[in-house]
Amino acid sequence: MKRIQLGNSELSVPVISLGCMVMQQSTKEQANKVIHNALDHGIDFFDHADIYGKGKSESVFAEAINMSPAIREKMIIQSKAGIRNGFYDSSKEYLISSVEESLKRLKTDYLDVFLIHRPDALMEPEEVAEAFSELEKSGKVRHFGVSNFRPRQIELLKKYVEQDLVANQLQLSVTNSGMIDQGLYANTAFDQAKDLDGGVIDYSQINNMTIQAWSPLRYGFFGGFIMDRDAYPELNKELDRLGEKYGVARETIAIAWILRHPANIQTIIGTMTPKRLSEMVKAADITLTREEWYQLWQSAGNKLL
């Protein structure tokens, strides 16, 4: 498994990680197989959030592997907080309590990475800074980052926090490629030229901040899967063609499209099916040509000017 450095940290992480959002739907035995299959393929990075199954995903994860110091050392565990029932909350009190509850459910003493899950309109960066410092000094969190943040929101936080922000988790797929599209449509009047993300992909490269791509196989906001031939017939033709060329499944090519970008993006896959995960990890060994990358992008409904 190819690995990259997570932001400016010392952490070496796999370019493909396992998202545990739906793990609460698995039995202990099923989750055990999923986790160990991931580890066997070099995926030792596991992404959680307090909102996933209202915490149950974290509990199932820890119970499935009989969490112990020995197995904990083999893992990089990330969790997120900030989304509550009907509102966002980045207060010092909530961030600290959320981490502490996640640690109890995960049966561990620390998180390798902790992210603020969503921008909070009422965020007080001074409070976030206090929370991060307390969590770091107590040893409960080793690295920090954000999720779904724009560059200016990140800069606001950086004005106050002492820690490097190592990652920004963002939605990205070949059909949800707005952060890439706005650059390709620069200096035009097309809708795709609108900068809805604040130039986040360029900002991330400039500041060595790792983008973690969530929903790499979905279109829309938690919509269907891009492998839906009725929704994206031309894209699927191209995915089939390249899948045949490289001897892999369509899903694998879709992930390889993300990994081909020079921003060193880490992709989060959420499958709880070991066979599918074993297929998807092959994307780390595929380097699409420039022509193939652009053909996929155009087959998703984009136009090269």
Side-chain angles (χ1 to χ4, degrees):
M1 172 61 66
K2 179 183 176 183
R3 302 182 75 87
I4 57 174
Q5 182 182 356
L6 189 69
N8 288 315
S9 76
E10 80 287 356
L11 284 179
S12 171
V13 300
V15 292
I16 296 175
S17 60
L18 184 68
C20 301
M21 185 173 73
V22 298
M23 187 165 280
Q24 82 276 6
Q25 300 172 7
S26 302
T27 65
K28 178 179 177 179
E29 293 72 23
Q30 290 170 334
N32 180 280
K33 290 180 181 179
V34 170
I35 296 166
H36 282 285
N37 182 57
L39 291 170
D40 289 343
H41 284 94
I43 297 177
D44 57 2
F45 190 104
F46 300 92
D47 176 67
H48 292 273
D50 62 348
I51 198 174
Y52 294 166
K54 297 181 180 179
K56 187 177 179 182
S57 287
E58 292 177 328
S59 297
V60 171
F61 181 90
E63 292 167 5
I65 56 174
N66 295 315
M67 184 67 83
S68 67
I71 195 168
R72 178 67 180 90
E73 291 178 359
K74 300 176 182 179
M75 297 178 165
I76 301 170
I77 297 179
Q78 170 176 283
S79 196
K80 304 181 289 293
I83 302 176
R84 303 188 70 175
N85 186 21
F87 63 102
Y88 297 152
D89 190 347
S90 61
S91 65
K92 174 184 177 181
E93 180 182 10
Y94 183 69
L95 293 180
I96 291 176
S97 65
S98 178
V99 168
E100 291 173 343
E101 291 302 314
S102 286
L103 294 179
K104 290 178 184 177
R105 290 190 293 264
L106 289 164
K107 298 181 180 179
T108 182
D109 296 328
Y110 67 96
L111 294 175
D112 294 284
V113 188
F114 174 64
L115 310 181
I116 298 180
H117 208 160
R118 281 272 173 188
D120 172 14
L122 302 181
M123 180 184 76
E124 298 182 42
E126 299 93 338
E127 273 201 36
V128 175
E130 290 177 9
F132 281 11
S133 292
E134 284 193 24
L135 290 168
E136 183 181 46
K137 289 175 182 177
S138 65
K140 294 174 182 177
V141 177
R142 296 185 175 179
H143 303 284
F144 298 84
V146 295
S147 180
N148 305 300
F149 272 53
R150 293 182 179 184
R152 284 186 178 273
Q153 294 169 324
I154 295 170
E155 285 297 309
L156 175 60
L157 264 186
K158 287 171 66 174
K159 179 180 177 181
Y160 295 91
V161 301
E162 299 176 348
Q163 300 78 12
D164 281 327
L165 300 178
V166 299
N168 189 5
Q169 195 171 120
L170 301 162
Q171 184 177 17
L172 176 64
S173 70
V174 68
T175 59
N176 285 58
S177 56
M179 68 178 75
I180 294 173
D181 300 348
Q182 60 91 19
L184 289 173
Y185 281 87
N187 197 35
T188 73
F190 291 103
D191 286 343
Q192 293 93 327
K194 295 178 181 177
D195 183 3
L196 302 177
D197 301 298
V200 71
I201 201 161
D202 299 322
Y203 174 88
S204 301
Q205 289 178 270
I206 291 169
N207 291 278
N208 197 27
M209 191 175 188
T210 299
I211 290 176
Q212 297 176 335
W214 62 266
S215 283
L217 299 177
R218 288 185 179 273
Y219 63 84
F221 185 73
F222 284 111
F225 288 97
I226 63 178
M227 290 77 68
D228 180 350
R229 295 181 187 277
D230 292 332
Y232 289 95
E234 294 304 315
L235 173 59
N236 276 278
K237 286 180 183 178
E238 192 63 20
L239 290 171
D240 284 339
R241 184 183 74 81
L242 292 173
E244 183 176 353
K245 173 185 174 181
Y246 288 99
V248 296
R250 287 178 292 159
E251 296 96 320
T252 308
I253 296 298
I255 295 169
W257 184 86
I258 296 173
L259 298 181
R260 177 63 176 82
H261 195 280
N264 281 328
I265 297 167
Q266 184 187 37
T267 303
I268 301 171
I269 59 175
T271 181
M272 294 290 107
T273 304
K275 185 177 180 180
R276 290 190 69 210
L277 185 143
S278 297
E279 172 60 33
M280 292 180 196
V281 297
K282 297 176 184 177
D285 299 319
I286 295 173
T287 302
L288 298 174
T289 67
R290 285 176 177 267
E291 183 179 9
E292 290 166 347
W293 189 92
Y294 276 104
Q295 285 174 337
L296 280 168
W297 181 75
Q298 291 178 83
S299 69
N302 298 298
K303 181 181 179 182
L304 196 65
L305 302 177

